[in-house]
Amino acid sequence: MVRITTIVACAAALLLPGASRAQQWNSAGLEQSAIDASKTKSAPPPRRDLTGIWDAGGSGIAGPGHQSAPWTQWGQQKASAYKPGNGPRAVYEADINDPLSTVCDPAGFPRLVLYETRPFQVVQTPNQVLILYMFEKRWRVIGTDGRALPKDPDPRWYGYSVGHWEDDFTFVVQTVGMDERTWLDNAGNPHSGELKVEERYYRVNRDRMELTVTIDDAKTFTKPWLGRDKMPLTRAPANMDVMEMICSPTEVMDFRKNISDRTDKK
Amino acid sequence: MVEFGRGRTLDIDMRTHFTFFTIAATALLSVVAAAQNLPWNNPGGVQGLAAPQTGPTAPAPKRDLSGIWDAGGAGIGARGMPAAPLTPWGDALGKTHHSGDGARMVPAPDINDPLSTMGDPSGFPRNLLFELRPFQVVHTPNQVLMLYMFEKRWRVIWTDGRQLPKDPDPRWYGYSVGRWEDDYTFVVNSVGTDERTWLDNAGNPHSNDLKVEERYRRVGRDLMELTVTLDDPKTYTRPWVARDKLQLRLLPPDTDLMEMIPSATEAAAVKKIYAGEK
């Protein structure tokens, strides 16, 4: 297997232990032992600084999806059209209609922080916090220049984000204007264009950060709920070159064709 | 409602969705509002906005490319590039590329450009030769990071002195290392690019042996020049320059770039329309 960029191949390889050994190129992430070790002792955190490469390990993947708040009637109706590959409503492989896994449409935000949250790099500029994700090789900008979120924005796959420091170690991000076509997670939880997302990045110490994601979408859910609850993130070495993990429509179409071929032969 | 020629239209709700295709169409018209002074969704790329600076500019900072850069209309490269002559191997590969522009151009329903018909990754170096929309450069102590508006993808250029990999597994965006040749010239070398990607909109091919050199020369505070040299002896009889001192203008640091992400679903919808034309 020469080509390692296939997302399907990557997903399989990353489930194997020891796939993430340190190397100069194409790291799949930290060893679990490195993630565990970071719980014990570390230097104090720098102030107002999230820069670095962060890895949630296996918990970032969240293959089965998340336990959401109850749906509203509108949410229920929207969800009934979603045929996910995981979670309580999982359907057979050939019936899945997940726009990410079946046609490689953009994961979008906040699915990017609820599913396949692989290693990501945080960079700060004087007026931005930039987040560069290994998954999809996508980036997003969080404005820290005091600008207000747009009123009634045109939807974007990755929304509109602003952030501020609540204290020296807690960075809070608000996001609106997300595209209703995207799913929230692998269980096919839907959202509306009115979704508001809050991310709280709490830097515990030099090597550890916690991420809490709150989903607030009154049109879809009867109450706000936590998509991530203090998900621990471990700082990776600054020279870690992360592998590519990009969904290609051509590859996924070939993959799907193989599945339906096999299904036909059954 | 977007016109796609011959009276056919694509019913896209432009209020609801920015699509790659509607943006590609509108951005080529000069009706897009000036890129400055929009708090969100700056399109950049307007002809004239990034015209070569005539007046004086402040001196360039040393060893610093950070900022948001815009090549204007010249970045788009819709027609493709005049390449060096092809080798027999390159010619055979090029014949399988049915492009929507340039010398290999075919009628719309027959195009097999993996980017425009499938939404596959543009890859490197095509993202420098086609749809080079505004991009942001960020420095860290050991990297130069490039964040592209088109596709909303990023790539890393390592500046920690590491060697390029020998015989790497191909990646869509390759493997890159960079160094400062002098205080104003940053040189990037890349290998390990994916043979499935096209070089440009004319369907110029490349092999896995492709080596790319990018030279970023910061002329002044507000102006930078990019030269891209392609060296792929398996495909071309000699190295050739695909971007020759392409001029890039510095945009205000608070510019919020619009999204311009090809979606496979949208690409399929457009393909259906073309198929109907056939």
Side-chain angles (χ1 to χ4, degrees):
Chain A
M1 188 133 179
V2 176
R3 185 175 305 289
I4 56 158
T5 51
T6 306
I7 189 174
V8 180
C10 286
L14 293 185
L15 291 173
L16 301 173
S20 59
R21 66 187 181 281
Q23 51 192 343
Q24 202 179 19
W25 299 98
N26 287 320
S27 173
L30 291 169
E31 292 275 13
Q32 188 58 44
S33 57
I35 289 172
D36 293 342
S38 72
K39 286 177 191 159
T40 50
K41 55 181 177 186
S42 173
R47 288 171 199 267
R48 300 190 176 224
D49 184 359
L50 304 181
T51 58
I53 302 171
W54 297 93
D55 189 352
S59 66
I61 301 173
H66 298 275
Q67 179 70 51
S68 74
W71 293 321
T72 61
Q73 205 173 357
W74 188 92
Q76 172 114 38
Q77 194 174 10
K78 183 136 171 129
S80 66
Y82 291 2
K83 309 294 179 199
N86 282 92
R89 298 188 300 118
V91 297
Y92 289 112
E93 189 80 44
D95 299 325
I96 298 171
N97 67 358
D98 184 337
L100 172 60
S101 70
T102 64
V103 293
C104 287
D105 273 349
F109 183 86
R111 189 169 183 181
L112 203 49
V113 292
L114 301 184
Y115 171 59
E116 293 287 15
T117 310
R118 303 281 179 172
F120 60 86
Q121 180 167 358
V122 180
V123 184
Q124 295 177 204
T125 75
N127 59 346
Q128 306 164 313
V129 169
L130 299 160
I131 306 191
L132 286 56
Y133 299 92
M134 169 174 141
F135 185 67
E136 291 193 313
K137 216 174 173 78
R138 214 74 89 174
W139 61 279
R140 59 188 269 257
V141 57
I142 297 159
T144 56
D145 56 0
R147 73 177 65 199
L149 284 170
K151 313 271 182 221
D152 190 30
D154 288 316
R156 301 203 295 206
W157 295 105
Y158 296 89
Y160 301 75
S161 302
V162 298
H164 69 275
W165 290 93
E166 196 171 272
D167 58 44
D168 283 347
F169 308 107
T170 310
F171 184 64
V172 180
V173 184
Q174 309 286 345
T175 303
V176 297
M178 286 148 281
D179 194 310
E180 215 168 275
R181 292 174 292 180
T182 61
W183 295 14
L184 285 183
D185 61 12
N186 237 21
N189 273 305
H191 71 88
S192 77
E194 293 166 25
L195 170 64
K196 285 178 254 175
V197 178
E198 184 192 80
E199 297 157 271
R200 298 179 76 84
Y201 295 88
Y202 171 58
R203 182 129 185 197
V204 180
N205 56 43
R206 187 195 59 192
D207 299 314
R208 192 127 177 130
M209 184 159 79
E210 289 173 351
L211 168 60
T212 297
V213 179
T214 306
I215 305 292
D216 182 4
D217 180 0
K219 192 172 172 184
T220 310
F221 300 101
T222 57
K223 56 183 166 71
W225 56 281
L226 296 182
R228 296 284 194 185
D229 188 6
K230 294 182 181 162
M231 177 171 77
L233 293 151
T234 301
R235 198 168 63 100
N239 64 354
M240 188 168 94
D241 177 80
V242 296
M243 69 191 299
E244 277 192 347
M245 198 170 173
I246 300 177
C247 197
S248 141
T250 298
E251 288 176 3
V252 90
M253 189 178 278
D254 291 345
F255 180 71
R256 300 274 304 165
K257 192 167 174 292
N258 285 339
I259 286 175
S260 54
D261 285 353
R262 278 180 218 155
T263 308
D264 292 343
K265 282 170 195 161
K266 268 178 193 167
Chain B
M1 209 74 121
V2 181
E3 298 215 5
F4 274 81
R6 302 186 206 176
R8 290 186 181 275
T9 54
L10 176 58
D11 193 6
I12 291 172
D13 180 353
M14 293 190 56
R15 172 63 184 75
T16 310
H17 300 304
F18 284 124
T19 75
F20 164 58
F21 301 97
T22 55
I23 292 167
T26 53
L28 285 170
L29 305 172
S30 54
V31 297
V32 182
Q36 285 132 334
N37 305 320
L38 293 174
W40 302 97
N41 288 322
N42 214 295
V46 180
Q47 280 283 11
L49 175 73
Q53 181 145 332
T54 48
T57 178
K62 290 187 184 189
R63 299 187 177 228
D64 185 2
L65 305 181
S66 59
I68 304 173
W69 297 93
D70 187 1
I76 300 175
R79 299 281 92 81
M81 307 293 163
L86 292 157
T87 62
W89 187 93
D91 188 50
L93 181 57
K95 280 196 164 69
T96 67
H97 293 179
H98 303 149
S99 63
D101 275 285
R104 295 182 188 82
M105 191 164 88
V106 297
D110 300 324
I111 298 170
N112 68 357
D113 185 338
L115 171 62
S116 70
T117 66
M118 296 296 297
D120 272 348
S122 177
F124 179 86
R126 187 170 179 180
N127 64 350
L128 301 180
L129 306 188
F130 173 59
E131 293 289 15
L132 183 58
R133 303 283 179 167
F135 61 94
Q136 181 166 357
V137 183
V138 183
H139 293 250
T140 75
N142 57 347
Q143 306 163 312
V144 170
L145 298 161
M146 300 273 181
L147 285 58
Y148 299 96
M149 170 173 141
F150 183 66
E151 293 191 308
K152 215 174 173 76
R153 289 236 156 86
W154 61 277
R155 60 186 269 258
V156 57
I157 297 157
W158 291 102
T159 55
D160 57 3
R162 74 178 67 193
Q163 299 294 305
L164 284 171
K166 314 272 180 220
D167 190 29
D169 288 315
R171 299 203 296 203
W172 296 104
Y173 294 87
Y175 301 74
S176 303
V177 298
R179 66 193 163 79
W180 290 93
E181 195 171 272
D182 59 44
D183 283 347
Y184 307 105
T185 310
F186 184 65
V187 180
V188 184
N189 291 103
S190 299
V191 297
T193 54
D194 195 308
E195 210 167 274
R196 292 175 294 179
T197 62
W198 295 12
L199 285 182
D200 61 11
N201 234 24
N204 278 310
H206 72 90
S207 77
N208 290 341
D209 296 343
L210 172 65
K211 287 180 224 157
V212 181
E213 182 193 81
E214 299 156 86
R215 298 179 75 83
Y216 295 88
R217 181 166 161 266
R218 185 130 184 197
V219 179
R221 186 194 59 195
D222 303 320
L223 188 61
M224 183 160 79
E225 289 174 351
L226 168 61
T227 297
V228 179
T229 305
L230 304 181
D231 182 6
D232 181 2
K234 190 172 172 183
T235 312
Y236 298 97
T237 58
R238 55 181 164 80
W240 55 285
V241 174
R243 293 285 196 187
D244 190 6
K245 295 182 182 163
L246 175 74
Q247 298 202 303
L248 295 151
R249 288 286 307 277
L250 189 65
L251 292 180
D254 61 351
T255 304
D256 175 77
L257 299 173
M258 70 190 304
E259 277 191 350
M260 194 170 177
I261 303 177
S263 136
T265 299
E266 290 168 6
V270 171
K271 233 176 4 183
K272 267 187 194 162
I273 290 168
Y274 284 148
E277 281 187 357
K278 206 170 184 177

